[in-house]
């Protein structure tokens, strides 16, 4: 099973859907037009059940195989949302909405999964049930969690989940995957340092919050270098330093630090949170100041299960030949992780060639990846539930 011939035939149509989504990008849960078009297309393919409004604006399609003696149910997931970025690609199907752009290729993911759904509804060459899942709000809105909380797993009895993301830097249409952590846990923290503001010429009458904050920023970097096992991975980045005064001669009463903490396993994640609290509070105390920490856990680590990784890799090899099984995990976050917390599954990269990185205003999804991506989605269903 190389690229399915049918996918090559469907390429012009799938490309047209992709470019239509690209031209009409929508943010977070506001993917009304996109979700409406997805549901309309699924119905036109003769998909057995189409449910809208799952996890607010997600869409679920159910495709029954020719038989169901296996009783198996496989979930395939794509994301639908765009980013608040001003597009500079110059393509003739560029975003018509200023400041909003499909800069992460979710237009491509949605179109590729639609292509697979069309093929699966036509051929039904499997023994079991395929559930195609189109989720909103991957970019920071936890749409994957919203769908899980709306009963995604139990309502359709999903037993395994498979997801895909395009990746610049990998040859177009080839695949990369690894067992274990694939994408990071991505958390945010705000640290409000409170001292005693006052006249900058009278520091002895103040508790200097900028000095305290500077010590905290430096000391936070000791968490990764001194507390975390050097064979594990973590990032702590302080990205915002905000004083409550803009004057040259005022010691501010408060300083707010904001940043992100990333990790590839749950234990390291706990250590990062505890370390950020401990270092900030105690350094502030050493100077007579206080630090209030708001640590907000974002998406969990995206963990590829061992067996599912093998299944995903086998199908990718059938589609594209050699694949990369030693790709490094990425420190970006991905909310497919919420589905993989519920059931075994895997998340794979499909190459997007030599383009700008995702989230860049010059990024564009490469339509030449479509036959491989759609074939992989469909191949997962046929391989995990072979026709009886
Ligand atoms: Ni993305």
């Amino acid at each position: 099973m190389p690229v399915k011939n049918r996918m090559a035939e469907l390429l012009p149509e799938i490309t047209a859907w992709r470019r239509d989504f690209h031209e009409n990008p929508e943010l977070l849960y506001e993917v009304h037009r996109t979700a409406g078009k997805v549901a309309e297309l699924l119905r036109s393919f003769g998909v057995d059940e189409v449910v809208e409004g799952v996890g607010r604006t997600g869409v679920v399609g159910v495709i029954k195989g020719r038989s169901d003696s296996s009783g198996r149910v496989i979930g395939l997931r794509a994301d639908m949302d765009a980013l608040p970025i001003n597009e500079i690609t110059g393509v003739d199907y560029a975003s018509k909405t200023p400041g909003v752009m499909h800069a992460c290729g979710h237009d491509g993911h949605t179109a590729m999964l639609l292509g697979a759904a069309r093929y699966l509804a036509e051929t039904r060459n499997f023994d079991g049930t395929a559930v195609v899942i189109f989720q909103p709000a991957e970019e920071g809105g936890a749409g994957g969690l919203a769908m899980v909380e709306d009963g995604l797993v139990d309502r359709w009895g999903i037993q395994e989940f498979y997801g895909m993301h395009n990746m610049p830097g990998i040859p177009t249409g080839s695949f990369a995957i690894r067992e274990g952590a694939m994408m990071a846990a991505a958390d945010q923290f705000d640290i409000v340092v409170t001292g005693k503001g006052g006249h900058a010429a009278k520091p002895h009458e103040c508790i200097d919050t900028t000095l305290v904050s500077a010590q905290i920023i430096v000391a936070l970097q000791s968490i990764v270098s001194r507390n975390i096992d050097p064979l594990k991975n973590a990032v702590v980045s302080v990205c915002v330093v905000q004083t409550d005064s803009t004057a040259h001669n005022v010691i501010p009463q408060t300083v707010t630090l904001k940043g992100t903490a990333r990790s590839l396993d749950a234990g390291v994640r706990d250590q990062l949170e505890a370390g950020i609290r401990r270092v900030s509070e105690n350094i502030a105390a050493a100077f007579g100041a206080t630090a209030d920490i708001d640590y907000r856990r974002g998406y969990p680590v995206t963990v590829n299960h061992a067996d599912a990784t093998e299944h995903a890799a086998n199908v990718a090899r059938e589609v594209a030949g050699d694949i990369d099984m030693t790709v490094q995990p990425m420190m970006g976050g991905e909310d497919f992780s919420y589905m993989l917390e519920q059931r075994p599954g895997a998340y794979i990269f499909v190459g997007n060639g030599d383009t700008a990185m995702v989230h860049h205003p010059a990024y564009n999804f490469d339509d030449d990846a479509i036959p491989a991506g759609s074939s992989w989605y469909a191949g997962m269903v046929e391989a995990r539930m072979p026709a009886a």
Side-chain angles (χ1 to χ4, degrees):
M1 179 183 67
V3 162
K4 293 178 184 299
N5 290 335
R6 184 68 180 129
M7 297 309 180
E9 283 168 25
L10 289 173
L11 179 59
E13 203 173 343
I14 303 173
T15 301
W17 302 332
R18 203 285 285 185
R19 294 183 177 194
D20 174 71
F21 294 136
H22 191 88
E23 211 169 333
N24 298 282
E26 297 172 297
L27 293 174
L28 291 166
Y29 287 95
E30 301 304 313
V31 289
H32 303 289
R33 180 189 181 278
T34 309
K37 174 145 189 188
V38 164
E40 181 191 311
L41 284 168
L42 290 175
R43 287 191 188 101
S44 77
F45 305 156
V47 164
D48 299 291
E49 184 189 353
V50 178
V51 181
E52 296 178 72
V54 181
R56 290 162 70 178
T57 40
V59 181
V60 173
V62 179
I63 307 165
K64 296 193 175 104
R66 203 161 289 164
S67 56
D68 187 23
S69 61
S70 75
R72 297 179 51 72
V73 184
I74 300 292
L76 305 173
R77 172 271 201 178
D79 39 17
M80 298 188 285
D81 57 321
L83 283 159
I85 291 177
N86 219 3
E87 178 161 357
I88 60 165
T89 62
V91 295
D92 56 9
Y93 54 89
S95 169
K96 290 192 293 195
T97 310
V100 183
M101 171 192 181
H102 267 295
C104 202
H106 299 184
D107 48 345
H109 306 162
T110 297
M112 290 190 294
L113 184 53
L114 283 168
R118 170 149 188 190
Y119 165 89
L120 290 168
E122 272 175 15
T123 55
R124 314 258 176 182
N125 196 25
F126 56 97
D127 177 42
T129 304
V131 179
V132 289
I133 302 155
F134 297 86
Q135 76 150 81
E138 195 288 320
E139 299 288 359
L145 178 62
M147 290 190 83
V148 166
E149 288 180 342
D150 204 3
L152 177 68
V153 180
D154 293 335
R155 260 166 99 178
W156 288 282
I158 297 165
Q159 298 161 350
E160 291 173 35
F161 282 105
Y162 294 94
M164 178 171 24
H165 205 292
N166 78 93
M167 195 49 65
I170 296 173
T172 298
S174 71
F175 291 90
I177 192 170
R178 74 191 302 277
E179 187 188 321
M182 187 79 170
M183 302 288 286
D187 301 338
Q188 295 182 342
F189 58 85
D190 287 27
I191 303 166
V192 179
V193 177
T194 305
K196 191 175 173 208
H199 201 297
K202 291 177 168 290
H204 58 291
E205 292 176 5
C206 303
I207 296 173
D208 183 356
T209 46
T210 57
L211 177 66
V212 177
S213 299
Q215 309 286 341
I216 290 174
I217 293 167
V218 173
L220 286 176
Q221 292 310 319
S222 71
I223 297 171
V224 172
S225 65
R226 303 289 85 182
N227 300 150
I228 303 297
D229 179 340
L231 296 178
K232 295 189 172 175
N233 310 85
V235 174
V236 174
S237 292
V238 177
C239 304
V240 174
V241 181
Q242 235 165 16
T243 63
D244 66 6
S245 158
T246 54
H248 288 73
N249 57 357
V250 172
I251 288 175
Q253 173 74 15
T254 66
V255 175
T256 302
L257 309 175
K258 300 183 187 186
T260 183
R262 310 265 167 141
S263 50
L264 294 174
D265 82 49
V268 170
R269 190 185 204 186
D270 290 343
Q271 267 188 297
L272 290 180
E273 178 171 357
I276 288 168
R277 291 184 187 282
R278 184 186 67 243
V279 165
S280 307
E281 285 168 359
N282 288 296
I283 292 210
F287 287 82
T290 59
D292 290 306
I293 296 103
D294 179 18
Y295 190 98
R296 296 181 301 280
R297 291 197 171 210
Y299 299 164
V301 185
T302 304
V303 181
N304 279 341
H305 299 241
D307 289 350
T309 304
E310 210 168 295
H311 303 320
N314 287 339
V315 172
R317 266 188 221 104
E318 286 171 28
V319 171
D322 271 354
I323 65 163
D324 178 3
M325 291 288 292
T326 58
V327 66
Q328 301 270 23
M330 290 190 58
M331 295 312 273
E334 163 63 58
D335 84 343
F336 183 54
S337 52
Y338 291 110
M339 296 181 196
L340 292 184
E341 283 188 335
Q342 299 294 316
R343 291 290 182 270
Y347 178 78
I348 198 167
F349 293 145
V350 62
N352 198 61
D354 190 18
T355 57
M357 192 28 95
V358 292
H359 293 212
H360 188 281
Y363 164 85
N364 195 10
F365 179 82
D366 185 348
D367 292 320
D368 289 340
I370 288 172
S374 288
S375 295
W376 179 82
Y377 272 130
M380 286 312 304
V381 169
E382 294 180 348
R384 294 301 294 140
M385 303 181 289

